Amino acid sequence: DRLGKEQSLSFPAKLQAIIKANKKRWAKTHQEYRDAGEQEFYKLKDNPIFLAGVMLYWGEGEKSPKMSRLKLANTDPMMIRIFYLFLKDIIKIPKDKICIWLLLYPDLVDDMQKKFWSRATGVPLSQFKSSIYIKGRHPTKRLSYGVCNIYVSSRKFKEKMMVWLDLYQKMLIS
């Protein structure tokens, strides 16, 4: 920040120094998230909803390190409901930060599907984003209610989740 205020960005060496400083700052912040996640794991590891949330994410979650969000996709409303409880009640993410979008086939009606998923999962309709429509590969084999995607955009919780997955796996095999 200091370099950016004092010097022009038109000098490549100075720009590289700013980039290096930003990377160092973010690396430190991400490590703080992971350290906090490790401490929280030992406090939460006996909570069945915490373990269910971690296990659901292990099986169905988006684990790409490049993505700064916790996202789980599935066709089972109970699975989405449990993950929603995990997000809001266990790791204390505010309800308004938790979002849902649906992956639907062309013959499914968006409003009806959103109402179904809202009732089945307990997630208010206000948290639903625009649905995406796809054409299935097989004309008769398709999902009646589409695929529900629940997510939270948060690098902090993504870093913590990756630590929780690692610690839980180690706990299981020790």
Side-chain angles (χ1 to χ4, degrees), residues 33-140:
Y33 295 157
R34 289 188 291 275
D35 293 344
E38 187 171 352
Q39 291 174 352
E40 291 170 6
F41 178 82
Y42 294 107
K43 292 176 187 170
L44 295 169
K45 70 181 177 91
D46 295 323
N47 184 313
I49 299 201
F50 174 75
L51 292 179
V54 172
M55 291 299 296
L56 287 174
Y57 198 81
W58 186 7
E60 301 291 334
E62 179 180 72
K63 292 172 272 306
S64 170
K66 293 182 180 185
M67 303 305 281
S68 294
R69 66 181 177 202
L70 288 179
K71 181 178 97 91
L72 181 128
N74 206 275
T75 59
D76 183 346
M78 190 54 70
M79 197 176 285
I80 301 297
R81 183 181 191 103
I82 291 169
F83 195 70
Y84 179 62
L85 292 173
F86 164 77
L87 293 174
K88 73 179 185 66
D89 294 343
I90 304 303
I91 61 175
K92 307 294 187 207
I93 294 176
K95 282 197 270 189
D96 63 324
K97 300 291 183 194
I98 302 169
C99 301
I100 285 188
W101 63 272
L102 303 176
L103 188 64
L104 302 173
Y105 294 103
D107 62 327
L108 297 176
V109 178
D110 189 48
D111 288 343
M112 287 178 57
Q113 304 313 314
K114 285 180 178 176
K115 287 176 186 172
F116 166 80
W117 282 102
S118 179
R119 280 191 314 271
T121 62
V123 180
L125 284 170
S126 61
Q127 291 170 239
F128 282 71
K129 302 298 179 194
S130 297
S131 297
I132 296 175
Y133 281 91
I134 61 165
K135 183 177 182 188
R137 288 183 234 156
H138 196 280
T140 57

Side-chain angles (χ1 to χ4, degrees), residues 19-35:
I19 291 169
K20 185 178 178 181
N22 277 336
K23 284 183 179 181
K24 186 176 179 181
R25 186 183 79 216
W26 280 113
K28 180 181 179 221
T29 300
H30 293 168
Q31 186 59 49
E32 289 170 1
Y33 295 157
R34 289 188 291 275
D35 293 344

